[in-house]
Amino acid sequence: VEDLATAPRVHVLGLRKCHAVAYLLAYLLRLVRDDVEVLGAGPGTLVDELRRVRPGDCVVGVAIHRYSRATVRAFEWAAGHGATTVALTDNASSPLARHATHTLFAETTSVGVLRSLTAFTSLVQVLASAVAAARGGDAGATLAAEEERFEVYD
C-alpha cells in the first residue's frame, strides 16, 4: 500500500480478461492520487507506453492462468528497470510472482467453467481504500477536486 501511495507514478497493467480489473484499480487510484495510468489500454501501445515507466515508479500487474505473455514481459521489464512491482495474481507459480516486489493472491475458482474475477474486484477496492487512508489529507484534496469537476456536469 505504501508503494502505491507514495510512488511518483503508478502504472497498472492487465490484458485480456484482466483488463477490467486493471482499469478499475487505475480509476479508483486516480480518485485519491495523481499520476496513475493504465498501460496497454490501446491496441499495440504497450511497448510505447513502457517508456514512461521510471525507476521508483510502481507497476501493478494483473494476470491469471493463461497469463498474457505481453503482461508478463512488460512486468518483467519494469522490474528490471527499477520499478517497484506489485503482482495481483492467482497463485504462487504465476510468472508475475517471480518478478514482483509484492504479490497479492486472489481466488479465481467459480461454479462454472470460466474463472471468476470477483475476488480481484474486491481486492482492488480494498487496495484503493488503503491508499486513500495512507495518503490522508492528500486523498481528501484529490477527492474534493474531483467533486468540483462533477458539479459542472450536474
Side-chain angles (χ1 to χ4, degrees):
V1 170
E2 185 68 22
D3 290 321
L4 290 170
T6 62
R9 285 169 300 282
V10 175
H11 311 270
V12 186
L13 172 62
L15 301 176
R16 298 176 46 206
K17 187 174 185 177
C18 294
H19 176 74
V21 174
Y23 182 85
L24 177 61
L25 178 58
Y27 174 80
L28 294 172
L29 288 176
R30 282 185 198 129
L31 292 175
V32 298
R33 62 155 294 154
D34 293 328
D35 295 316
V36 177
E37 69 175 302
V38 177
L39 295 173
T45 62
L46 179 57
V47 173
D48 298 324
E49 292 169 348
L50 285 174
R51 74 172 184 259
R52 291 192 295 271
V53 175
R54 303 276 189 264
D57 286 358
C58 186
V59 174
V60 180
V62 184
I64 62 172
H65 181 67
R66 300 271 185 248
Y67 311 96
S68 163
R69 184 176 299 166
T71 299
V72 173
R73 286 182 177 169
F75 194 75
E76 181 178 0
W77 183 92
H81 284 80
T84 298
T85 50
V86 178
L88 307 183
T89 192
D90 54 354
N91 66 69
S93 64
S94 163
L96 291 188
R98 288 192 291 269
H99 305 288
T101 308
H102 310 286
T103 305
L104 298 169
F105 300 106
E107 184 58 57
T108 59
T109 303
S110 73
V111 295
V113 296
L114 300 175
R115 289 179 178 81
S116 172
L117 294 177
T118 302
F120 281 89
T121 301
S122 297
L123 178 59
V124 301
Q125 289 178 314
V126 167
L127 279 174
S129 293
V131 169
R135 291 184 58 84
D138 288 343
T142 304
L143 282 169
E146 186 76 13
E147 285 300 319
E148 284 181 26
R149 284 188 294 277
F150 281 135
E151 291 294 323
V152 173
Y153 294 98
D154 279 349

